[in-house]
Amino acid sequence: MDKSTLKAKICETIDQYKDEIISIGQDIYDHPELGYKEFYATNLISNKFKELGLSVKDHIAVTGCRGSINQDKNGPKIAVLGEMDAIMCHEHKDADKETGAIHACGHHIQSAAMMGVAIGLIRSGAIDSLDGKIDFFAVPAEEFVELEYRSQLKDAGKIKYFGGKQELISNGEFDDVSMAMMIHSLDLEKENKKALIGPVGNGFVGKKVQFIGKESHAGGAPEKGVNALNAAMLAINNIHAQRETFTEAERVRVHPIITKGGDIVNVVPADVRMESYVRARTINGMLDANTKVNRALRAGAMAVGANIKINEIPGYLPLLQNDPLDTLFKNNIQSFISEEEIFEGGDFTGSFDFGDVSHIIPTLHPMIGGISGDLHTRDFKVSDDELAYIISAKAMAMTIVDLLFDHAKEANNILSNFKPVLTKEEYLKLLEGIDRTIEE
Ligand SMILES: [Zn+2]
């Protein structure tokens, strides 16, 4: 069978099972779970993997699973990823009434599209004509939230890192993967576009900060206290005073919040807590901005004579793109949408943990429409099932055919021209360097 017949067969199969693919997404949407708590979604996907005859490994990082096929083939291994975690947005009409969890970042779509790729390749029989291995990953915890819960998991030895993909790189799940792909949803309706191909994004360092002062009667004897809230407010202003030193190219974003401002109003605050990200476009930019932010935080504490504890948490690395993978994907998605409907590039000052993967192996991370409303807001909704789920699945599956057809010529070509920014060892060393506590 030639390549185009193979692709046509896969697309036919995906169409045939369209309702099943969309219902997987709907099922995950109806059961939103935050990171490292995706037990329902993992179980659902794991069972589907087994139905498809994949060999399955469960609980790859607290939750999550991976299904493997074609393991006896010699060629490279492609990983297709689908994230599973929800966010919190109490204002969304479909949010879980208790937890506020809601799929307002479209991760349920990713998981369903990933299953769509598996269904298309396997049920069409096309998988036998491909000269390489494929692993499907249901990935936990993309959103960097609930830092307390994740600290507990870390203290209990259940995870080393807060991000799902960091954890999977660290625990060896990516060791045998040659390249990885996934889609992410994005509202492109206002621009009259349907896909964005080749995005880059910021990386970040996560921070938990505690200003430690001394309590005293706020009315009777404020002179006997050390006001930790004043330290925090000065620190925030000190951070603002750094902003003119951040270069345009680095796209630095620092956005602290105070998570605890005091205990009761008539006591001088002695324990004030803050969380922040320090984001930038390059690893050096992140580390440089982080040094300045630490200086600003410490100066705030010093000014009032408070102590400070800065807990630094490895966030995500900047998202890098790979031209040859983007080109293959673009050619394939043009079977369904026009060139004018494609936005090439994309500059994101937010962060994706897929960025970490992109520093080690070639990666593909297009953003696909079919949703309306901004990510992480009450307005998020799926507006076009066909584009969000089905075209995403088809374009990824077709790209896999391009990569693994004919002795995996294309995949091997990309791999031989790829120079990773970091080896896994360098990557883990970098993360360990960021993972620290400063106390003074
Ligand atoms: Zn997301």
Side-chain angles (χ1 to χ4, degrees):
M1 222 185 301
D2 65 15
K3 221 160 64 166
S4 52
T5 316
L6 207 57
K7 288 182 180 180
K9 245 183 114 181
I10 293 166
C11 291
E12 234 170 78
T13 307
I14 291 176
D15 279 332
Q16 201 185 330
Y17 293 99
K18 184 185 285 190
D19 292 345
E20 182 180 342
I21 295 164
I22 295 170
S23 77
I24 294 167
Q26 189 60 44
D27 202 350
I28 297 172
Y29 183 82
D30 291 338
H31 298 87
E33 300 163 302
L34 294 172
Y36 290 129
K37 296 176 182 170
E38 309 94 329
F39 297 103
Y40 183 90
T42 299
N43 193 40
L44 176 81
I45 294 168
S46 174
N47 286 336
K48 287 278 175 195
F49 282 164
K50 284 164 198 157
E51 250 175 68
L52 286 168
L54 299 171
S55 60
V56 178
K57 182 173 176 190
D58 283 312
H59 309 297
I60 50 177
V62 185
T63 59
C65 59
R66 73 189 274 188
S68 309
I69 194 155
N70 267 6
Q71 299 308 297
D72 52 341
K73 301 258 182 163
N74 285 325
K77 177 177 283 192
I78 298 177
V80 185
L81 275 53
E83 294 160 0
M84 299 181 295
D85 57 328
I87 63 139
M88 250 188 271
C89 179
H90 285 277
E91 294 76 13
H92 197 290
K93 70 174 176 54
D94 296 331
D96 185 294
K97 295 285 167 288
E98 262 168 49
T99 62
I102 171 76
H103 275 288
C105 197
H107 295 184
H108 63 298
I109 300 170
Q110 298 179 19
S111 286
M114 180 257 300
M115 286 304 312
V117 176
I119 287 170
L121 292 174
I122 294 166
R123 289 193 183 147
S124 68
I127 193 81
D128 298 329
S129 310
L130 300 180
D131 298 314
K133 312 168 187 67
I134 305 170
D135 274 27
F136 300 92
F137 279 65
V139 185
E142 196 277 331
E143 307 288 350
F144 198 89
V145 297
E146 293 195 303
L147 306 192
E148 276 315 318
Y149 168 65
R150 294 190 193 183
S151 296
Q152 286 163 21
L153 288 179
K154 193 177 168 194
D155 293 343
K158 291 188 177 150
I159 55 169
K160 261 183 108 170
Y161 296 104
F162 285 14
K165 296 183 196 66
Q166 298 175 309
E167 184 65 17
L168 293 174
I169 295 171
S170 157
N171 72 16
E173 292 293 342
F174 275 101
D175 286 359
D176 61 348
V177 173
S178 319
M179 52 178 71
M181 65 171 70
M182 60 177 285
I183 56 110
H184 198 297
S185 298
L186 188 67
D187 179 8
L188 295 162
E189 286 177 355
K190 280 167 263 161
E191 292 84 17
N192 280 322
K193 302 282 183 194
K194 292 190 168 165
L196 178 152
I197 300 176
V200 292
N202 274 9
F204 73 97
V205 176
K207 309 177 85 72
K208 287 195 295 177
V209 185
Q210 182 183 16
F211 294 93
I212 305 154
K214 189 171 175 292
E215 75 289 353
S216 69
H217 196 294
E223 73 281 4
K224 291 186 182 158
V226 174
N227 192 322
L229 183 60
N230 284 340
M233 290 192 303
L234 288 168
I236 289 176
N237 282 324
N238 293 341
I239 290 169
H240 294 327
Q242 312 297 319
R243 295 194 192 272
E244 66 184 22
T245 73
F246 299 143
T247 64
E248 299 293 330
E250 281 295 346
R251 307 280 199 281
V252 172
R253 299 287 187 273
V254 188
H255 39 89
I257 58 165
I258 291 180
T259 53
K260 182 184 176 193
D263 288 299
I264 50 172
V265 69
N266 57 359
V267 175
V268 167
D271 179 4
V272 171
R273 312 275 176 114
M274 189 187 275
E275 283 179 16
S276 190
Y277 288 1
V278 181
R279 307 189 198 242
R281 184 51 49 87
T282 66
I283 293 173
N284 284 340
M286 277 160 52
L287 298 178
D288 173 65
N290 190 49
T291 303
K292 292 173 179 170
V293 168
N294 282 346
R295 214 165 57 195
L297 294 168
R298 290 157 62 208
M302 186 191 283
V304 300
N307 290 100
I308 189 167
K309 187 171 167 187
I310 303 171
N311 190 209
E312 290 191 330
I313 307 155
Y316 303 153
L317 297 189
L319 181 67
L320 309 174
Q321 54 99 214
N322 181 281
D323 277 332
L325 280 173
D326 284 335
T327 304
L328 289 178
F329 186 85
K330 187 184 167 206
N331 291 338
N332 284 314
I333 203 166
Q334 281 189 80
S335 305
F336 315 104
I337 65 177
S338 70
E339 173 133 44
E340 292 71 48
E341 289 169 322
I342 297 173
F343 183 94
E344 285 192 70
D347 180 333
F348 290 82
T349 43
S351 312
F352 307 91
D353 70 349
F354 200 52
D356 293 48
V357 182
S358 75
H359 279 69
I360 301 171
I361 55 174
T363 52
L364 172 70
H365 187 274
M367 317 279 290
I368 310 292
I371 62 149
S372 68
D374 286 339
L375 301 177
H376 295 207
T377 71
R378 69 183 81 187
D379 301 325
F380 176 96
K381 66 170 195 287
V382 179
S383 55
D384 179 351
D385 285 342
E386 180 73 21
L387 176 59
Y389 294 103
I390 304 304
I391 293 178
S392 294
K394 286 178 181 173
M396 279 197 284
M398 290 162 83
T399 303
I400 292 173
V401 172
D402 284 330
L403 289 166
L404 295 183
F405 197 71
D406 192 12
H407 305 286
K409 217 166 64 192
E410 197 73 53
N412 285 324
N413 219 347
I414 290 173
L415 289 167
S416 63
N417 289 317
F418 180 76
K419 281 195 190 42
V421 176
L422 299 169
T423 63
K424 179 187 167 186
E425 290 66 36
E426 288 164 344
Y427 166 76
L428 292 177
K429 219 174 139 200
L430 173 72
L431 259 52
E432 272 161 33
I434 295 171
D435 194 356
R436 60 175 183 165
T437 301
I438 302 164
E439 272 180 279
E440 56 187 48

